[in-house]
Amino acid sequence: MAKRVEFSGILVILSALVLLAVAEEKEYVLTLDHSNLTDTISKHNFIVLEFYAPWCGHCKNLAPEYEKAASELSSHDPPIVLAKYDASDEANRELAGQYKIQGFPTIKILRDGGKKVQEYNGPRDAAGIVSYLKKQVGPASAEINSKEDATNLIDEKKIFVVGIFPDPSGEKFENYLALAEKLRAEIDFAHTVDAKFLPQGGPVDKPTLRLLKPFDELFVDFEDFQVDAMEKFIAEASIPIVTIFDNKPENHPYVNKFFDGTNDKTLLFVNFSTELDAFKSKYNDVAVLYKGDGVSFLVGDVEAGEGAFEYFGLKPEQAPVIIIVDTDDQKYVKDHVEPDAIAAFLKDYKVMSPILLVVRSFHVALDGKLKPHVKSEPIPEVNDEPVKVVVRDTLQDMVFNSGKNVLLEFYAPWCGHCKNLAPILDEVAVSFESNPDDATANDLPKGEFDVQGFPTMYFRSASGNLSQYNGDRTKEAIIEFIKKNRDKPAQSDSVKADSAKDEL
């Protein structure tokens, strides 16, 4: 009888261990696919969705942090649901395409059953995810009723926007709340009835939008409460007069804003350890002069700017180097620049118009003073393979002015898909003359080609019709496409002359 009791006790212990193991293995992140994505989203007023790919290293690093955050947020009141969706699965791609996924992992915040979609711009560690999402699920604008509230809410190392309303009602206040809702995933908002609670700025007696920032003048006020005007003000005021591009994480958000901005861009790259002091004051003076005139300024450390040098086709030995990129993606470069030459270089690019000086010092671009910098690989000395090589400096002659049917591949040497396509193009080239172009080492003519990934192929017929190839990457499919879209090559002058002789 005692043995039975002992055996029963063992069963109870084993059952408890099994239940414990099951509890420990519970997954708090919902796994969704094409069959349940839309229905699940429609049932939630607030849900966070990660688009991932199983092979993605960044996704693998995020997974345990995302799961840990989901576990903690499941007990929030109300619970905050985190989900994931394999956007690389063929069956899931169509729905993923609706969310314009450009890379993995991408996290979206979906509100009102999916009617509102916002980018997740928060941290990627569990504690950071939890903190960020708790703010996102609450009011878009927190209320500040004391200096203690302000201290608890305002992070002086980040951009923070406060609406000051002696009477928090009316159209201006409603517009402010609409703006806060629209931008809440990017910026923290709060409102108060009295500016005395805030760490920066003096008192005000009328509705005022105050932007607090950890650089330049530390705060700036604005009084136009049209939503579009406020949004534009925040976008411009959130960028430092001179953005710092180095390896410090706290500067990365401002670098992203700089490159995402619509202004002309001026970039100065120097060695921060030995040259920054000599350039800093004069560069800042030029930036202040052009503030509000459609030009943004950045100073970068040569060490941190390795990718930028490669992008512009420059070498670190050319530093100190100043680069201007206009809104048409034209580039102007001066290497080994001296501090005193910066103002003159900008003046050659843009000159003040005295007539328009009273209207915010509007600047007018001068044509011809600076020659655009165009990145191009060297022209190949030998180019007699079936698949020809085109560089930026030969693109016009070999493609646009050739009078031939041309299949043009934009590729990257490191791209695996490009390497797989190469032998197929060699086979196609036996019947048709094709031209590959390394798009990472050559600038593209603006407006001609839309290259979002590698490889990208375009076909230009002899008569000038340009079409992108999006078919299967097989010899048969490419040949069929060319036959369908090609036309009779234009005759050269010599051929025309020979034909005329024959007719005579």
Side-chain angles (χ1 to χ4, degrees):
M1 187 69 179
K3 289 183 179 180
R4 288 183 181 178
V5 172
E6 183 180 343
F7 183 70
S8 298
I10 293 172
L11 284 177
V12 170
I13 294 172
L14 288 175
S15 298
L17 290 174
V18 169
L19 289 173
L20 181 61
V22 170
E24 288 178 349
E25 291 175 1
K26 179 180 178 181
E27 292 186 357
Y28 290 89
V29 176
L30 297 182
T31 300
L32 305 179
D33 60 26
H34 66 283
S35 68
N36 59 6
L37 177 68
T38 302
D39 185 56
T40 302
I41 291 173
S42 67
K43 294 177 180 178
H44 288 85
N45 187 51
F46 185 97
I47 185 170
V48 183
L49 182 60
E50 175 205 0
F51 294 89
Y52 76 100
W55 44 260
C56 166
H58 295 296
C59 302
K60 293 177 182 177
N61 293 335
L62 174 63
E65 300 297 320
Y66 197 62
E67 177 64 32
K68 192 184 301 182
S71 173
E72 184 171 341
L73 291 170
S74 66
S75 59
H76 184 270
D77 185 19
I80 298 176
V81 178
L82 274 61
K84 62 183 180 180
Y85 185 84
D86 181 359
S88 70
D89 188 302
E90 185 67 37
N92 294 337
R93 287 182 185 175
E94 183 177 352
L95 281 178
Q98 298 177 11
Y99 294 90
K100 300 177 181 178
I101 306 303
Q102 300 294 323
F104 302 118
T106 294
I107 305 176
K108 304 276 186 177
I109 297 174
L110 310 177
R111 303 176 189 272
D112 298 339
K115 295 176 183 177
K116 297 178 182 177
V117 182
Q118 294 177 323
E119 296 291 333
Y120 173 90
N121 295 310
R124 297 297 176 96
D125 63 287
I129 294 171
V130 169
S131 176
Y132 183 87
L133 291 178
K134 283 182 177 180
K135 289 181 180 179
Q136 292 300 309
V137 80
S141 177
E143 191 170 356
I144 294 177
N145 293 313
S146 65
K147 289 189 175 181
E148 184 179 2
D149 286 345
T151 300
N152 292 334
L153 285 170
I154 298 172
D155 183 348
E156 296 187 353
K157 294 181 180 179
K158 296 171 60 180
I159 300 291
F160 198 97
V161 176
V162 183
I164 306 168
F165 297 95
D167 177 18
S169 63
E171 183 181 0
K172 291 183 178 180
F173 184 64
E174 293 302 322
N175 284 351
Y176 169 77
L177 292 180
L179 175 77
E181 184 65 42
K182 182 178 182 180
L183 301 182
R184 64 182 299 164
E186 305 168 30
I187 296 174
D188 291 331
F189 288 84
H191 58 274
T192 184
V193 296
D194 200 328
K196 71 181 181 181
F197 300 137
L198 306 181
Q200 302 291 343
V204 296
D205 57 4
K206 55 186 175 181
T208 303
L209 192 70
R210 179 165 294 174
L211 186 143
L212 307 173
K213 51 186 177 178
F215 50 80
D216 298 339
E217 66 271 53
L218 300 183
F219 81 95
V220 58
D221 288 347
F222 190 69
E223 296 178 1
D224 185 346
F225 278 85
Q226 297 300 313
V227 174
D228 290 345
M230 288 189 288
E231 187 172 0
K232 182 180 179 182
F233 158 74
I234 291 172
E236 293 177 351
S238 297
I239 299 177
I241 293 175
V242 175
T243 299
I244 306 297
F245 182 11
D246 56 15
N247 291 317
K248 295 180 180 178
E250 59 265 31
N251 288 326
H252 292 175
Y254 306 113
V255 174
N256 292 337
K257 285 179 179 289
F258 173 87
F259 284 109
D260 288 341
T262 57
N263 284 346
D264 293 352
K265 297 171 178 61
T266 301
L267 306 90
L268 172 68
F269 285 97
V270 300
N271 188 314
F272 272 23
S273 61
T274 59
E275 298 170 327
L276 182 59
D277 290 342
F279 282 87
K280 192 172 183 179
S281 177
K282 292 185 181 295
Y283 192 59
N284 191 77
D285 288 345
V286 173
V288 170
L289 180 65
Y290 284 87
K291 184 179 180 182
D293 295 321
V295 187
S296 298
F297 289 79
L298 173 146
V299 60
D301 188 7
V302 171
E303 182 179 344
E306 181 180 347
F309 277 91
E310 183 177 348
Y311 173 78
F312 289 112
L314 302 171
K315 299 183 181 300
E317 303 85 70
Q318 292 176 260
V321 59
I322 187 168
I323 306 159
I324 298 175
V325 184
D326 68 16
T327 53
D328 290 324
D329 206 32
Q330 292 272 37
K331 304 172 183 70
Y332 305 86
V333 176
K334 183 175 179 62
D335 57 5
H336 302 295
V337 67
E338 297 290 337
D340 290 333
I342 293 174
F345 185 71
L346 263 295
K347 188 176 180 181
D348 282 346
Y349 174 67
K350 284 196 166 192
V351 64
M352 280 190 183
S353 168
I355 298 174
L356 297 175
L357 188 58
V358 292
V359 189
R360 295 199 174 185
S361 303
F362 187 81
H363 288 62
V364 180
L366 285 180
D367 294 328
K369 278 228 172 185
L370 295 182
K371 182 180 179 182
H373 169 83
V374 178
K375 179 175 67 171
S376 175
E377 286 186 297
I379 298 174
E381 294 182 6
V382 179
N383 203 7
D384 54 7
E385 295 295 325
V387 177
K388 311 300 180 187
V389 175
V390 179
V391 298
R392 179 61 178 86
D393 288 342
T394 61
L395 184 65
Q396 194 70 31
D397 289 337
M398 292 186 68
V399 178
F400 293 106
N401 298 337
S402 68
K404 299 178 181 179
N405 296 296
V406 180
L407 180 68
L408 184 66
E409 178 206 14
F410 296 96
Y411 75 100
W414 42 261
C415 167
H417 296 298
C418 303
K419 293 176 182 178
N420 293 335
L421 182 61
I424 296 172
L425 286 184
D426 284 337
E427 293 182 32
V428 174
V430 173
S431 302
F432 306 108
E433 187 174 355
S434 306
N435 299 281
D437 183 355
D438 180 357
T440 66
N442 298 278
D443 284 339
L444 302 181
K446 188 163 183 69
E448 295 289 350
F449 305 101
D450 182 21
V451 179
Q452 300 294 331
F454 304 116
T456 294
M457 287 189 284
Y458 275 88
F459 181 76
R460 190 178 191 276
S461 71
S463 61
N465 293 321
L466 189 67
S467 54
Q468 186 172 354
Y469 177 76
N470 292 310
D472 293 336
R473 293 170 186 168
T474 63
K475 172 186 173 182
E476 293 76 18
I478 295 172
I479 288 177
E480 182 181 353
F481 176 83
I482 293 174
K483 287 181 177 178
K484 182 179 178 181
N485 290 275
R486 68 177 176 174
D487 48 34
K488 187 177 180 180
Q491 290 182 318
S492 65
D493 291 340
S494 60
V495 173
K496 290 178 181 177
D498 290 340
S499 298
K501 289 178 183 178
D502 292 340
E503 291 175 5
L504 292 174

